């Protein structure tokens, strides 16, 4: 059991979890190459903060998320990860990540991404 990380502010929520939610959060929200313990951990989602709120950003976000989460599948902790995006054109892009764990359990992780 892990303590849950709140996706809105990055702090602990006070709840405990039994899924890969924290692993997904850390892989998406850590800038790629910035973690000293593993230079491959992280994503390029932080680069989208400088992008305009256009349709192509949605595709980039989806690709960046898939690349960042692939190691969770490669190391056998999940069997499938499916990423969709919702672009409301209000300065935020929403990632919806459906993770199927090795036990067969599924959970959905929602993550906001800032864009201009």
């Amino acid at each position: 059991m892990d303590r849950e990380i709140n996706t809105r502010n990055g702090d602990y929520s006070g709840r405990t979890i039994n899924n890969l939610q924290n692993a997904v959060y850390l892989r998406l929200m850590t800038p790629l190459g910035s973690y000293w313990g593993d230079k491959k951990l992280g994503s390029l989602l932080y680069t989208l903060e400088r992008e305009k709120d256009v349709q192509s950003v949605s595709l980039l976000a989806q690709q960046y998320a898939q690349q960042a989460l692939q190691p969770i599948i490669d190391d056998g902790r999940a069997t499938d990860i499916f990423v969709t995006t919702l672009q409301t054109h209000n300065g935020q892009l929403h990632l919806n990540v459906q993770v199927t764990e090795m036990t067969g359990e599924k959970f959905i992780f929602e993550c906001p991404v800032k864009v201009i």
Side-chain angles (χ1 to χ4, degrees):
M1 292 176 107
D2 290 327
R3 291 177 33 186
E4 179 185 50
I5 297 175
N6 183 327
T7 60
R8 299 289 177 207
N9 61 17
D11 200 2
Y12 289 114
S13 69
R15 296 178 32 203
T16 57
I17 56 172
N18 289 327
N19 58 32
L20 295 171
Q21 179 178 322
N22 288 351
V24 171
Y25 174 81
L26 291 173
R27 289 207 169 268
L28 293 178
M29 301 313 290
T30 302
L32 183 62
S34 68
Y35 179 60
W36 65 271
D38 183 358
K39 293 293 183 186
K40 295 178 185 175
L41 183 123
S43 74
L44 293 172
L45 289 172
Y46 72 97
T47 63
L48 298 180
E49 291 181 12
R50 299 182 303 248
E51 295 289 331
K52 291 186 178 180
D53 195 1
V54 294
Q55 190 61 35
S56 61
V57 172
S58 180
L59 181 58
L60 276 175
Q62 188 174 11
Q63 290 173 346
Y64 291 165
Q66 285 289 149
Q67 290 170 355
L69 298 173
Q70 185 62 42
I72 295 175
I73 294 173
D74 293 344
D75 65 16
R77 292 185 286 165
T79 58
D80 188 42
I81 296 176
F82 184 70
V83 179
T84 58
T85 60
L86 174 64
Q87 192 167 6
T88 56
H89 298 289
N90 65 353
Q92 279 202 347
L93 174 75
H94 299 276
L95 290 175
N96 292 309
V97 181
Q98 180 178 323
V99 179
T100 305
E101 298 187 34
M102 291 302 293
T103 61
E105 292 183 44
K106 295 182 181 183
F107 72 91
I108 295 179
F109 179 83
E110 296 179 6
C111 177
V113 178
K114 292 180 186 178
V115 291
I116 298 175

